[in-house]
Amino acid sequence: MKRRTGQDRSITADWRPATLAVRGGTARSEFGETSEALFLTSGYSYDCAGDAAARFAGEQQGMTYSRLQNPTVEMLEHRIALLEGAEACRTMATGMAAMTAVLLCQLQQGDHVVAGRAAFGSCRWLVDTLLPKFGIATTTIDARDPQAFADAARAETKVFFFETPANPTMDVVDLKAVCDIARERGIRSVVDNAFATPALQRPMEFGADVTAYSATKMMDGQGRVLAGAVCGSEDFVTNTLLPFTRNTGPTLSAFNAWVVLKGLETLDLRIRRQSENALAVGRFLEGRVKRMLHPGLPSHPQHDLAMRQMDACGPIFAFEVEDRVQAHALLDALALVDISNNIGDSRSLMTHPASTTHYGVSAEARGEMGVTEGLLRLNVGLEDPADVIEDLDQALRQVGL
Ligand SMILES: *Cc1c(COP(=O)(O)O)cnc(C)c1O
């Protein structure tokens, strides 16, 4: 009898997202274990020399070396691809390994990239520093305006690269409009979907070609491991991404893959509850602080667009107080919420991007993207939101707000 397997797309095709998150990608060993097995092995053995030769020649299915394949890692890749609605997925050691691989695998000297200027600090470093070093020109634009992508595109433009909502200013990009512009011009759209995850937003439904993830954030969701992922067509993954990653080796460890597999089982529950909590906390803060940047609140200039593209607002938002002194004082007054630059954790965490995640971005670029000296970013966790609100309330009082 054939064992039901979450890797058989004829079986998983009928499963809904919550089912895929728990069972998608599972492949059972001869022991029939219910929970996914953790395969800590760097290599594989062969029954005969001919089998080894056949596997290396690609004539026989099977694994050869864990830089290239691992059963636990493969389960995670299948599961993420199914949740994303993508033909294929490959995981990486970190989100930044995923972003670096997805860009370098498809670009060469003379190419051009248009990127959203509001972005995670290291993503901006790739665009501003790394790519130009290899003769790849880049233009950063206000990604809230789809026309800005069209205006910046040149004959040599190969990639549009952006995140939505963007870290940390919560700029929202019109996925359909921007991906349409890319399609018309034969440009590949690459979306960093770390904030929303496929549980809330599936960019490919709006025409995105490739999605890339820091799985460190909501996918693990409990602040334990670093991981990354890239999703795309079978052709892109096999013929463009894999030659780069197989030989450069930004491979995800089996242990970290296993942790993220466990994380995905509860992704939908966590992200929906954290979105509700973030909405409650955002409503409390509005009016109390200088400015709110919260895609779930009607005061966000792109609230309608965000809610059209996303199933819920997600756990992360930003807000502004007067200046760096007040922002740091507010952080120092917190008793429950941790001062931490991570996001997507089940704990509430707050950071001052200008002095942490975006410290390495030039002051000029920070100004352009709206990372002001008074900006704070909050990840709302799974605590009772009333406790988070009480903590913020007492901290705000201490700094005179
Ligand atoms: C955290 C983050 C990254 C980088 O991911 P790591 O797992 O920390 O390497 C990239 N993009 C966005 C939007 C992020 O939030």
Side-chain angles (χ1 to χ4, degrees), residues 56-77:
F56 273 80
E59 291 156 3
Q60 186 187 83
Q61 287 259 312
M63 308 212 165
T64 55
Y65 188 55
S66 278
R67 170 152 40 78
L68 315 180
Q69 317 94 356
N70 175 279
T72 308
V73 172
E74 209 177 78
M75 286 191 256
L76 175 63
E77 292 171 342

Side-chain angles (χ1 to χ4, degrees), residues 39 171 368 386:
F39 288 92
D171 286 1
E368 267 175 23

Side-chain angles (χ1 to χ4, degrees), residues 37-41 66 70-73 252-259 261:
L38 173 51
F39 288 92
L40 290 179
T41 182
S66 278
N70 175 279
T72 308
V73 172
L252 180 63
S253 80
F255 179 78
N256 288 2
W258 182 83
V259 172
L261 270 168

Side-chain angles (χ1 to χ4, degrees), residues 94-97 99 120 123 163 167 192 194-195 214-217 226-227 343:
T94 65
M96 285 322 300
M99 302 307 155
F120 184 66
C123 292
E163 34 190 275
N167 190 353
D192 179 343
F195 269 38
S214 169
T216 312
K217 311 294 167 55
L226 295 164
I343 47 171

